[in-house]
Amino acid sequence: MTSKGFKINKVSKRDQLAVQQKVYVNETPKVGFTEYAEKLNGRLAMIGFVALIAVEAITGNGLIGWLTNL
């Protein structure tokens, strides 16, 4: 006997573990030219650009000048 997604066991108590839960599977591809890849590339480019500005602000040189002074 079922009642709103629950099964009633022999002692008339609801058995929550007897009903199989629905599983959500994200089938969006994670490789190739997908929306996910474009967002990831954009975010990494923004992080790199901010890091480049931080290096320039801290050292007083641009990236090329900073690399040649090592």
Side-chain angles (χ1 to χ4, degrees):
M1 172 189 262
T2 61
S3 173
K4 293 185 181 181
F6 296 100
K7 289 189 177 182
I8 306 296
N9 61 12
K10 294 178 182 177
V11 288
S12 298
K13 290 189 178 180
R14 291 194 306 185
D15 188 8
Q16 296 178 3
L17 299 176
V19 178
Q20 185 176 2
Q21 300 294 322
K22 293 182 181 180
V23 178
Y24 173 75
V25 177
N26 186 1
E27 295 181 2
T28 306
K30 300 290 183 192
V31 293
F33 293 106
T34 62
E35 184 177 344
Y36 173 78
E38 293 299 320
K39 284 183 182 180
L40 181 62
N41 288 338
R43 289 174 181 158
L44 291 175
M46 287 186 271
I47 290 171
F49 187 71
V50 169
L52 182 63
I53 291 174
V55 165
E56 187 171 344
I58 292 171
T59 62
N61 293 328
L63 178 65
I64 303 298
W66 180 70
L67 290 174
T68 56
N69 288 334
L70 291 177

